Amino acid sequence: MSQTKKNVISIILFILIFGGLLTVATFYDLEISKILTNGNLLSGEYYAVDTVGLIVEYIGSFPIFVFGIFACLVFIRKLRDFKWYGKILQFILFLVMVFVCEMLIGDTLKYYSRVHDMEAFYKATTTTIILYAISLLVCIFLWLCYRHTDDEKNERYFTFAGVILITCIGYYITVNVIKSPMGRMRFRGMNLINDFSYFTPWYQVSDAKYQLASMNESLGDAFKSFPSGHTYSAGVSYVLICMPFVNRKYDTPGWRRFWYILPIFYTGLVGFYRIVVGAHFMSDVLVGGTLAFLFASIAKYFVYTRKEI
């Protein structure tokens, strides 16, 4: 069977599986959430008591930050031999890396502080300064470790970093742009007020935020359910499907399957537990994870596959 036929079959299977799962979610989103949150999200509560679910809430979105930091290191190394403007760009990229590192650490602290009623500590200026100081030290250490990477290896990583960049940009193009206008209310938001009449299917714009305007402050981010940012962030791990191009020793049938299975498992795990804790519905995580896969696959095609056809 030719590679073209294999690609066509893969696309058809993807559409059928995604379409089937989205159809199930369209009709049974609320019922699925009620089943999975049962015993994990107590009535009248916003945060679940499920330990694994809370851990996923704290660190599930790590891939977008970890791969982002790696891409910054690669770009900084690439600019090392450029003229004076390269030094300026290196400095700017280093600042970006510190910012991303702070987001990685701060994101964990943010969710932890929300669950344990410590938001005042998280929002304190002193905490912000400490987070940036730690991030600066971490980034200096990472650069000291990476700066001696040889040119040939960094060149391969540079191409891979391009895939990472496109996939990360996809997050801001889709998730951040869609969330607020859709205004879908989280399951746990409805659980907090014990009123599930505000449920809307994934394709419908919700006005719950305006209906509950008097409660918006206490509900916080309850109106940002669709799509799942956590699941997309976890799905940035799909860039690993490019590993056979980054290092040819991974260009075997077994390794190629592994680089698909690993991110599918991780993203699926994060998505599942986002439903368990009532943060998202099945359609939220399905679309969030799929968007990450699509951006990673499109980037892989234009950066790698197309050149070899």
Side-chain angles (χ1 to χ4, degrees):
M1 184 182 297
S2 66
Q3 187 60 46
T4 301
K5 287 185 178 179
K6 288 181 180 179
N7 291 338
V8 170
I9 292 174
S10 297
I11 292 172
I12 292 174
L13 285 175
F14 170 79
I15 292 173
L16 290 175
I17 294 172
F18 173 74
L21 291 173
L22 187 59
T23 299
V24 171
T26 300
F27 290 101
Y28 298 105
D29 251 350
L30 186 58
E31 289 74 12
I32 291 170
S33 287
K34 286 181 176 179
I35 292 170
L36 293 181
T37 57
N38 185 34
N40 300 313
L41 185 62
L42 304 180
S43 178
E45 295 292 330
Y46 192 74
Y47 291 107
V49 295
D50 183 86
T51 303
V52 178
L54 290 177
I55 292 173
V56 167
E57 182 131 33
Y58 303 154
I59 66 173
S61 57
F62 269 21
I64 194 171
F65 303 124
V66 172
F67 282 109
I69 290 170
F70 175 75
C72 286
L73 285 170
V74 174
F75 291 140
I76 292 172
R77 172 65 180 77
K78 177 72 173 179
L79 292 165
R80 190 177 68 175
D81 298 324
F82 281 51
K83 296 181 180 179
W84 61 268
Y85 58 85
K87 304 301 179 185
I88 296 175
L89 290 174
Q90 278 186 311
F91 179 70
I92 293 172
L93 280 170
F94 184 80
L95 293 181
V96 171
M97 182 167 67
V98 172
F99 176 70
V100 175
C101 186
E102 190 279 334
M103 289 177 68
L104 185 153
I105 302 170
D107 202 57
T108 300
L109 183 59
K110 175 181 71 176
Y111 285 106
Y112 182 87
S113 65
R114 285 178 178 177
V115 172
H116 297 279
D117 197 23
M118 296 169 55
E119 281 204 89
F121 169 75
Y122 169 72
K123 293 179 179 179
T125 303
T126 303
T127 303
T128 302
I129 293 172
I130 292 173
L131 287 176
Y132 273 106
I134 294 172
S135 300
L136 177 62
L137 292 174
V138 170
C139 289
I140 291 173
F141 172 76
L142 291 174
W143 171 240
L144 290 174
C145 293
Y146 187 81
R147 62 177 179 161
H148 296 299
T149 303
D150 64 75
D151 291 338
E152 188 274 332
K153 183 179 291 186
N154 192 71
E155 196 63 34
R156 286 189 280 115
Y157 291 159
F158 179 72
T159 309
F160 180 51
V163 175
I164 294 172
L165 180 62
I166 293 170
T167 309
C168 290
I169 289 174
Y171 176 91
Y172 296 96
I173 292 176
T174 55
V175 177
N176 279 351
V177 171
I178 296 172
K179 267 183 178 291
S180 293
M182 291 302 293
R184 191 183 198 189
M185 193 170 184
R186 298 181 191 272
F187 180 91
R188 62 187 181 189
M190 291 180 276
N191 184 75
L192 177 66
I193 62 175
N194 285 309
D195 188 349
F196 292 93
S197 65
Y198 293 101
F199 170 78
T200 53
W202 62 270
Y203 53 83
Q204 180 180 325
V205 176
S206 173
D207 61 353
K209 183 176 182 178
Y210 306 103
Q211 292 185 46
L212 298 169
S214 61
M215 299 178 64
N216 281 356
E217 186 174 343
S218 61
L219 286 169
D221 67 346
F223 307 101
K224 295 182 177 181
S225 189
F226 180 84
S228 170
H230 255 77
T231 313
Y232 188 111
S233 298
V236 170
S237 59
Y238 281 116
V239 298
L240 291 173
I241 63 178
C242 297
M243 286 306 293
F245 296 96
V246 178
N247 192 325
R248 287 298 179 180
K249 77 176 184 179
Y250 296 127
D251 193 15
T252 65
W255 275 113
R256 285 196 295 269
R257 283 192 292 269
F258 175 79
W259 295 122
Y260 271 96
I261 293 172
L262 181 61
I264 288 173
F265 174 79
Y266 182 79
T267 308
L269 181 70
V270 171
F272 175 77
Y273 276 100
R274 296 306 283 157
I275 303 173
V276 168
V277 299
H280 290 287
F281 296 99
M282 178 181 172
S283 55
D284 300 336
V285 302
L286 180 64
V287 172
T290 301
L291 284 172
F293 173 74
L294 288 176
F295 271 94
S297 298
I298 291 170
K300 171 178 173 283
Y301 173 77
F302 283 103
V303 173
Y304 289 112
T305 311
R306 189 179 63 165
K307 295 178 181 179
E308 297 199 352
I309 295 176

